[in-house]
Amino acid sequence: MFSPDGRCLAYASDEWGRYEVSVQPFPSLLGKRQISAEGGRERVWERSARELFYRNGGKMMVVDVTTQSGFHAAKPRMLFEGHYCG
């Protein structure tokens, strides 16, 4: 999923040994960074590209990000926890 500003690509894959959320710059695709720390799927960018949301089991997580002058991400934090269908 591309960030709203088109500067980054967020995706979930098991290339780290389990499903994790990663982000890499676009269009260069160099400098991939793992964002989730303990598993992650179903990533969604916030409209201004300042936050990236993802699900880790029953936890909804968020990461503050900046895409100006390169990509920078803060430590993920839990927004809430609950049961999800699907």
Side-chain angles (χ1 to χ4, degrees):
M1 170 176 281
F2 284 98
S3 60
D5 61 9
R7 296 178 185 201
C8 295
L9 176 64
Y11 62 96
S13 76
D14 63 355
E15 67 186 300
W16 305 102
R18 66 176 165 197
Y19 273 89
E20 299 285 357
V21 174
S22 298
V23 172
Q24 57 189 75
F26 185 83
S28 73
L29 302 180
L30 299 173
K32 171 176 46 179
R33 298 218 12 230
Q34 182 178 332
I35 299 303
S36 58
E38 299 173 359
R41 295 179 183 240
E42 302 177 30
R43 71 273 169 255
V44 175
W45 288 98
E46 185 263 337
R47 225 180 271 199
S48 69
R50 293 184 186 149
E51 293 177 316
L52 179 62
F53 300 93
Y54 66 92
R55 189 170 65 89
N56 175 0
K59 299 175 184 173
M60 182 59 67
M61 307 294 289
V62 64
V63 178
D64 295 322
V65 299
T66 58
T67 58
Q68 306 294 326
S69 304
F71 179 80
H72 303 282
K75 184 178 176 180
R77 66 185 192 281
M78 185 175 68
L79 288 176
F80 54 87
E81 189 170 8
H83 177 72
Y84 299 95
C85 298

